[in-house]
Amino acid sequence: MTNKTDRIIIFDTTLRDGEQCPGATLNIDEKLVIAKQLARLGVDVIEAGFAFASPGDFEAVKKIAQIVGTENGPVVCSLARAIKADIEAAAEALKPAVNARIHTFISTSDIHLEYQLRKSRAEVLAIAEEMVAYAKSFMTDIEFSPMDAARSDPEFLYQVLERTIAAGATTVNIPDTVGYTTPSEFGAIIKGIIENVPNIDQAIISVHGHNDLGLAVANFLEAVKNGARQLECTINGIGERAGNASLEELVMALHVRRQYFNPYLGRPENSQESLTNIDTRQIYKTSRLVSNLTGMLVQPNKAIVGANAFAHESGIHQDGVLKNKLTYEIMDAQLVGLTDNQIVLGKHSGRNAFRSRLKELGFDLSDTELNKAFVRFKEVADKKKEISDWDLEAIVNDEIQQAPDLFRVELVQVSCGSNARPTATVTLRTPEGEELTDAAIGTGPVDAVYKAINRVVNVPNQLIEFSVQSVTAGIDAIGEVTIRLRYESKVFSGHAANTDIIVASAQAYVNALNRLYASLQTQEKPQEVTAQKV
Ligand code: KIV
Ligand code: ZN
């Protein structure tokens, strides 16, 4: 293998680093749905999780390896600390994948060595080398990350990279773990590695970075100019703290400005060939799926996938765009799949039309899922004459969202108005199958509904985020409600879509409570992974 590859490898870590942000926790089925979509998007590598971290993580990596890790599918990867038990768990979970990778890491910065690992440089060097060799005994594709590389002593970093490549690492990943570096500094780190690590031609140079100073994407682009060929990123930039480098921003920057980047990859400046394998038309859909399932909203002004990213408000801009799109637009919204929103179905559409449109949209549902989604579709079509692709996506995402079905909303009724005290009655079916009804008064209808639900479920929690968005324009649009609530130090999210936003609000709240309730019941304890918390 060589770092002279003339295209950029996209390594998606939405399901590992992305899932580490508070409240973004996904269950196995949701992870699988996202992994399938990432495969459709065309990512080269999916970091499916951290197999050793918990039995749930292990199962998720295994299932994704089984179902998405096919011959022509992406490489499926699991994270593992530079510890034998972690590496063994990763190797075991990855067994079903045709193309698998173990990604092992250990910190190399002095600050991490002194305060976190309490190990000397010599000890870390020996562990890194030994654990890469151990990982290599399970498979050929091995990635090694010197964590906090951007703040590590360059000479020590070169030494660690040389030894881990010699031990079998085929990709060496350079993380800016704390989002501290600047573009020119990061570019210089990559350049230094190429110039000072004698066997660097035997590995791909990858980069990984967090967005604490809002520089992650800029840092990566500078790294590409200096020889990095794999980018580790997440959908919508989700991840620890300020998140990771955003996949959609990187891919579109490399696409829209390919003439600028081509020479750095040894291509003729005017080459129109794509620099990545990503099918850009799948970007918007993937972004919505990840946002819906994780409950992490996309800010309206977010580049590429934000609601306003292609909206022109000012008269001067609108005038220009009407005369010639290129006056104020550097890329076509269709390129990211944003305007493929045809009106496709209505209340007379049958199951076959429903099934085949979903297939065209890339949804591959089981018969049971299809039946459930079809019932929802009919309910929505009764209220809303025209069903667009985005409505279909909202319906299906809602149906396949796998919040544990413990409490169920059976009835929501509200009374409110200008001179009324907002009052709600709710009936929930309990996990034991009992129907419980209660009522409450609130400051508004949603508050009243939530208070009534709390009286039934009786798990104290704090609502920290509530948002309503409409899927399409129009008074009959489907409303999507996303909520996040806190219980002790944990955050749980819930999402639901309905033409009635009060019903969607109740459903989203119950979804989040179900996740909370399930976690209280199982108390699934992650194994001790804090010593080198990623
Ligand atoms: O941010 C980081 O350093 C990581 C490593 C495990 C790659 O996530
Ligand atoms: Zn990270």
Side-chain angles (χ1 to χ4, degrees):
M1 219 183 267
T2 162
N3 66 337
K4 298 285 183 291
T5 155
D6 72 346
R7 80 171 177 85
I8 301 297
I9 298 164
I10 298 294
F11 175 116
D12 181 277
T13 183
T14 305
L15 297 175
R16 198 279 295 171
D17 216 337
E19 208 230 3
Q20 278 178 221
C21 58
T25 320
L26 298 160
N27 64 34
I28 297 179
D29 293 315
E30 289 168 341
K31 285 185 182 174
L32 185 62
V33 170
I34 292 178
K36 286 181 182 170
Q37 179 56 27
L38 290 173
R40 254 177 245 123
L41 177 67
V43 306
D44 301 285
V45 186
I46 295 179
E47 189 161 50
F50 185 176
F52 185 79
S54 73
D57 265 50
F58 181 91
E59 280 310 314
V61 175
K62 189 168 169 188
K63 203 157 184 185
I64 292 169
Q66 252 162 9
I67 296 172
V68 184
T70 56
E71 190 160 356
N72 298 320
V75 173
V76 180
C77 171
S78 170
L79 188 69
R81 290 168 301 172
I83 292 177
K84 276 191 174 175
D86 274 41
I87 292 171
E88 285 157 13
E92 184 60 32
L94 289 169
K95 260 186 189 158
V98 177
N99 302 302
R101 172 182 300 183
I102 294 175
H103 174 192
T104 188
F105 71 97
I106 189 165
S107 291
T108 50
S109 66
D110 287 337
I111 187 161
H112 281 207
L113 263 60
E114 186 177 344
Y115 295 103
Q116 198 180 12
L117 298 183
R118 297 181 198 284
K119 291 195 189 307
S120 67
R121 286 187 181 183
E123 283 171 310
V124 164
L125 185 59
I127 294 171
E129 186 176 25
E130 194 192 336
M131 289 303 113
V132 166
Y134 189 57
K136 195 78 178 179
S137 69
F138 294 97
M139 60 190 69
T140 52
D141 190 348
I142 304 298
E143 174 166 332
F144 171 74
S145 290
M147 187 150 85
D148 206 17
R151 292 191 302 169
S152 299
D153 169 38
E155 292 304 324
F156 181 52
L157 184 63
Y158 304 150
Q159 219 184 345
V160 173
L161 294 177
E162 182 181 355
R163 296 271 282 272
T164 49
I165 293 170
T170 40
T171 298
V172 284
N173 180 42
I174 311 303
D176 178 20
T177 304
V178 292
Y180 177 74
T181 196
T182 66
S184 58
E185 283 170 343
F186 205 44
I189 291 174
I190 305 302
K191 188 166 181 273
I193 289 170
I194 291 183
E195 285 167 358
N196 293 287
V197 177
N199 52 359
I200 195 66
D201 61 332
Q202 290 165 37
I204 301 278
I205 299 180
S206 167
V207 284
H208 178 107
H210 288 264
N211 211 20
D212 299 67
L213 294 174
L215 294 173
V217 167
N219 288 340
F220 279 27
L221 295 175
E222 205 54 33
V224 164
K225 286 164 61 180
N226 285 280
R229 291 296 174 263
Q230 174 178 285
L231 307 181
E232 299 201 354
C233 43
T234 61
I235 302 296
N236 301 335
I238 64 169
E240 284 270 347
R241 309 183 307 279
N244 285 66
S246 134
L247 180 147
E248 58 280 1
E249 292 175 22
L250 287 164
V251 166
M252 292 315 291
L254 290 170
H255 187 77
V256 173
R257 301 303 313 276
R258 56 194 183 281
Q259 291 185 348
Y260 173 75
F261 288 103
N262 275 335
Y264 294 103
L265 282 100
R267 299 177 175 203
E269 192 181 322
N270 286 330
S271 166
Q272 291 302 320
E273 212 186 309
S274 199
L275 287 172
T276 69
N277 266 352
I278 297 295
D279 175 358
T280 60
R281 283 172 198 275
Q282 294 285 335
I283 284 180
Y284 188 65
K285 183 178 167 192
T286 317
S287 160
R288 281 182 49 79
L289 180 70
V290 169
S291 171
N292 287 347
L293 295 187
T294 57
M296 300 290 296
L297 293 176
V298 174
Q299 76 198 55
N301 59 325
K302 162 91 174 62
I304 317 295
V305 291
N308 295 347
F310 293 91
H312 298 277
E313 273 297 315
S314 104
I316 296 176
H317 286 209
Q318 285 174 349
D319 175 62
V321 168
L322 285 174
K323 288 175 177 147
N324 183 336
K325 273 190 165 191
L326 293 179
T327 49
Y328 288 96
E329 273 188 14
I330 58 165
M331 61 193 146
D332 194 324
Q334 268 184 352
L335 202 54
V336 297
L338 194 62
T339 54
D340 293 340
N341 186 31
Q342 309 157 39
I343 305 300
V344 280
L345 300 175
K347 80 174 185 185
H348 299 298
S349 308
R351 186 183 298 263
N352 278 345
F354 180 69
R355 182 199 299 267
S356 70
R357 186 61 196 155
L358 287 185
K359 233 184 167 150
E360 280 162 22
L361 289 174
F363 289 105
D364 185 13
L365 303 190
S366 68
D367 284 348
T368 327
E369 285 170 334
L370 189 90
N371 288 344
K372 272 171 77 187
F374 188 64
V375 171
R376 276 294 306 281
F377 161 71
K378 282 290 182 186
E379 281 168 16
V380 175
D382 257 347
K383 296 184 188 144
K384 189 177 188 301
K385 268 200 244 127
E386 296 172 323
I387 306 287
S388 70
D389 283 344
W390 292 0
D391 293 324
L392 280 182
E393 281 179 7
I395 293 169
V396 174
N397 287 345
D398 207 38
E399 276 308 314
I400 57 180
Q401 194 180 25
Q402 302 286 336
D405 211 2
L406 295 168
F407 288 93
R408 261 196 185 181
V409 180
E410 296 291 343
L411 173 134
V412 181
Q413 205 178 318
V414 291
S415 146
C416 58
S418 57
N419 284 321
R421 298 188 73 187
T423 312
T425 307
V426 297
T427 302
L428 300 188
R429 185 178 293 278
T430 67
E432 294 74 34
E434 207 185 337
E435 276 196 4
L436 295 181
T437 300
D438 219 320
I441 294 174
T443 50
V446 174
D447 186 48
V449 167
Y450 283 15
K451 285 193 168 127
I453 292 173
N454 282 343
R455 289 170 68 93
V456 176
V457 178
N458 204 16
V459 180
N461 68 82
Q462 186 197 355
L463 186 67
I464 51 174
E465 194 174 306
F466 172 85
S467 117
V468 188
Q469 284 176 320
S470 71
V471 173
T472 50
I475 199 74
D476 61 352
I478 293 181
E480 289 186 309
V481 175
T482 306
I483 70 134
R484 284 149 75 73
L485 54 85
R486 193 189 307 279
Y487 174 80
E488 294 179 344
S489 60
K490 286 191 177 166
V491 178
F492 299 87
S493 69
H495 174 92
N498 200 293
T499 46
D500 182 325
I501 56 164
I502 303 293
V503 175
S505 303
Q507 191 63 63
Y509 190 50
V510 169
N511 284 348
L513 287 173
N514 278 340
R515 285 171 195 260
L516 192 173
Y517 201 76
S519 99
L520 287 181
Q521 281 186 328
T522 56
Q523 288 292 353
E524 186 194 295
K525 284 229 182 324
Q527 295 177 45
E528 195 48 64
V529 291
T530 45
Q532 277 181 19
K533 184 146 177 12
V534 198

